[in-house]
Amino acid sequence: MIDNKGLLIVISGPSAVGKGTICKELFKRNIENLELSISATTRNPRPNEINGVNYHFIDKESFGKMVEHGEFLEYAQVYDNYYGTPKKYVIDKINQGKDVILEIDIQGAKQVRQNYKDGIFIFIMPPSFKELKSRIMKRGTEAQKDIDKRMKCAYEEIEQAKYYNYIVINDDLHNAVEKIYCIIKAEKCRLSRYHIDLSEFKEEL
Ligand code: 5GP
């Protein structure tokens, strides 16, 4: 009766909007059947980050080979580093009936939208530009010229929100996570996921 394939859920939004934190909170709920795709990146691990848990940390050469061999579902250069979603893991999980979350940037989400029409696209929106600027500044690592660059970039990224299926405003972490949880639950009930077979009923009539 039900489509056995899992859902592909893309969570995206501008830099510093809090998509990583939202995903971490979502996974604390231990939602049945939900898996997080672990991206490959050429950036260096931050303190506390573990290879194979937060990212697959690889060098530029290995990343280039994966691109060449078509091993990414999508990939993008985000500021100075490359990030990509390994395709096999995601497709295998979906075929096993698992729902997979991709937490990726706007350019990557665009590629997935073009290639995977059944995906569910959730855009995380900052409560305001002022708030986004303060979040970028709080990260504390960027110089003024980088902050300006990121704000300009955020403006262009937010223009893309219209192409998504859902908008979740990150004004409150708990609220945002709850909304994403509800979106996933509702998507599982979509009519298109069901093949309604009345033959059994007919036999009973
Ligand atoms: P960070 O280096 O702070 O972990 O991530 C930087 C940006 O890269 C974030 O916006 C994050 O969502 C994005 N990102 C992480 N993994 C991927 C990926 O596999 N593909 C793309 N396109 N972006 C990613």
Side-chain angles (χ1 to χ4, degrees):
M1 283 283 247
I2 187 166
D3 183 349
N4 289 325
K5 274 194 170 185
L7 304 173
L8 177 69
I9 303 148
V10 176
I11 297 187
S12 193
S15 160
V17 78
K19 21 186 212 300
T21 313
I22 290 176
C23 284
K24 270 194 204 115
E25 277 304 306
L26 184 69
F27 277 88
K28 281 189 191 159
R29 291 190 172 205
N30 290 320
I31 302 166
E32 206 190 332
N33 253 358
L34 194 64
E35 306 268 342
L36 182 67
S37 153
I38 300 168
S39 301
T41 183
T42 59
R43 89 151 157 72
N44 292 324
R46 297 183 182 129
N48 304 326
E49 282 185 330
I50 301 167
N51 189 25
V53 175
N54 304 91
Y55 282 104
H56 301 290
F57 295 100
I58 60 176
D59 58 27
K60 273 196 178 144
E61 197 189 334
S62 311
F63 195 97
K65 280 198 180 131
M66 286 181 75
V67 172
E68 238 174 69
H69 298 152
E71 291 176 36
F72 286 123
L73 190 68
E74 61 73 36
Y75 69 93
Q77 184 177 359
V78 184
Y79 300 105
D80 297 329
N81 298 297
Y82 290 91
Y83 297 81
T85 304
K87 195 193 283 179
K88 188 176 181 316
Y89 175 88
V90 175
I91 302 298
D92 285 353
K93 289 289 173 194
I94 288 175
N95 287 337
Q96 289 161 19
K98 307 272 188 206
D99 304 319
V100 183
I101 295 225
L102 267 52
E103 186 252 291
I104 58 177
D105 90 313
I106 302 280
Q107 310 165 68
K110 188 174 177 187
Q111 293 168 42
V112 182
R113 240 180 10 247
Q114 283 159 354
N115 301 320
Y116 202 94
K117 303 274 180 237
D118 293 339
I120 297 149
F121 297 88
I122 304 174
F123 191 95
I124 309 295
M125 187 73 94
S128 64
F129 268 97
K130 206 170 154 208
E131 176 61 30
L132 185 68
K133 189 168 185 181
S134 109
R135 287 183 197 177
I136 290 174
M137 287 167 77
K138 262 191 213 140
R139 292 199 160 182
T141 46
E142 281 92 11
Q144 183 59 45
K145 117 173 167 312
D146 291 329
I147 292 169
D148 294 344
K149 196 167 121 192
R150 281 184 190 238
M151 284 304 287
K152 186 173 173 284
C153 194
Y155 178 88
E156 285 161 8
E157 289 180 329
I158 290 172
E159 278 189 323
Q160 301 266 317
K162 57 180 181 275
Y163 300 117
Y164 286 63
N165 304 111
Y166 296 94
I167 303 280
V168 170
I169 298 175
N170 189 17
D171 48 359
D172 172 86
L173 180 61
H174 175 79
N175 247 336
V177 172
E178 184 63 20
K179 283 179 190 167
I180 292 174
Y181 177 75
C182 293
I183 292 168
I184 297 170
K185 287 280 164 202
E187 284 288 343
K188 301 292 282 182
C189 301
R190 238 182 218 290
L191 178 65
S192 55
R193 291 183 53 77
Y194 288 84
H195 311 292
I196 300 172
D197 177 6
L198 289 174
S199 53
E200 257 182 56
F201 278 92
K202 273 192 184 154
E203 281 166 24
E204 295 295 325
L205 281 176

